Amino acid sequence: MTGSIVLFGPPGAGKGTQASLIAEITGKPPVSTGDMLRSALSEGTELGVEAKAFMEAGKLVPDEVIIGLIRERLKEPDASKGVLFDGFPRTILQAEALEEITEVSAVISIEVPDDEIVERIIGRRMDPVTGEIYHVSFKPAPIEIHDRLVQRKDDTEETVRSRLDGYHKQTKPLGNWYGERGLLITIDGTGSILEVGALVTSAVNTL
Ligand code: AP5
């Protein structure tokens, strides 16, 4: 399939968790704006310095910054046959800019209610060595790597509420925007990681 795929959904819906599976099936490289911003932050680049306060407050980084970042990323040779976007676009302005840059073939929306989101995010732990995403209850990490697991700075209950608020106001309307263009595929994200993975796999196989 030509064109890019967008993984859409609220914070903590499981986009990052399912991204590697979709990347494996489609061969499209995952492009996560959240991961790109976190790398910039830990490297202390100009972009990281600019994004830090927004991310820590659970607010969206300004559109022009994100669009510039994506424009540069899509110039890389591995992006020539489309990519798998995770966490981008998040505003209608970002989606309009993306239309100018590349073709979007499908938008997979993982739907999870707010109450489940909070539990997922607060229990999330990341392995900085492999990038693997774990959860204290839903996907426990092997005991031998417990010492190196980290919790994201924005994974606090207060920040999650702010991220959810921003999602409902700025990002959710984008679902309808893609729906009107016939690109939206909705997945029930409330099952286990394996159950959601099976739904995602059958959706991707229809593309
Ligand atoms: P970003 O990193 O994109 O965060 P997010 O959208 O808030 O999404 P998350 O990474 O929190 O969740 P996810 O859906 O990937 O869930 P995961 O698979 O980890 O963005 C961070 C910040 O950067 C933003 O707040 C903003 O400031 C900035 N930013 C990024 N992109 C931007 C943009 N385009 N424009 C402006 N600003 C931008 O799963 C969560 C947890 O749940 C894990 O512990 C996992 O193990 C568990 N889990 C997953 N699936 C299941 C399941 N089915 N059942 C039970 N547990 C599950």
Side-chain angles (χ1 to χ4, degrees), residues 71-111:
R71 211 181 275 284
E72 286 309 306
R73 176 63 184 86
L74 293 185
K75 287 181 186 161
E76 301 289 327
D78 68 338
S80 64
K81 293 192 178 115
V83 301
L84 172 64
F85 290 111
D86 164 5
F88 175 86
R90 262 171 146 103
T91 62
I92 290 182
L93 213 130
Q94 290 180 16
E96 285 171 346
L98 184 61
E99 268 192 330
E100 307 281 309
I101 313 172
T102 192
E103 183 206 343
V104 171
S105 311
V107 177
I108 300 175
S109 171
I110 304 180
E111 302 207 331

Side-chain angles (χ1 to χ4, degrees), residues 9-18 32-35 37-38 54-55 58-63 66 86-90 94 120-121 123-125 133-135 138-139 152 154-155 163 189-193 196:
K15 302 182 295 293
T17 299
Q18 302 298 340
S32 156
T33 39
D35 285 349
L37 292 168
R38 276 184 291 279
F54 293 101
M55 293 176 76
K59 306 265 181 245
L60 290 186
V61 172
D63 285 332
I66 297 290
D86 164 5
F88 175 86
R90 262 171 146 103
Q94 290 180 16
R120 287 189 188 187
I121 289 204
R124 172 165 49 193
R125 299 292 181 274
I133 307 165
Y134 293 101
H135 189 281
F138 306 133
K139 188 181 173 185
R152 270 170 50 177
D154 59 346
D155 279 354
R163 284 156 67 191
T190 58
S192 68
I193 293 175
V196 177

Side-chain angles (χ1 to χ4, degrees), residues 24 37 40 47 49 70 84 88 92-93 124 127 140 172 174 198 201:
E24 204 177 293
L37 292 168
L47 168 69
V49 172
I70 289 295
L84 172 64
F88 175 86
I92 290 182
L93 213 130
R124 172 165 49 193
D127 179 358
K172 208 173 173 198
L174 199 52
T201 303

Side-chain angles (χ1 to χ4, degrees), residues 123-152:
R124 172 165 49 193
R125 299 292 181 274
M126 314 289 293
D127 179 358
V129 175
T130 61
E132 189 70 30
I133 307 165
Y134 293 101
H135 189 281
V136 289
S137 314
F138 306 133
K139 188 181 173 185
I143 190 96
E144 56 274 21
I145 66 161
H146 275 196
D147 286 353
R148 69 180 197 226
L149 294 180
V150 293
Q151 188 167 16
R152 270 170 50 177

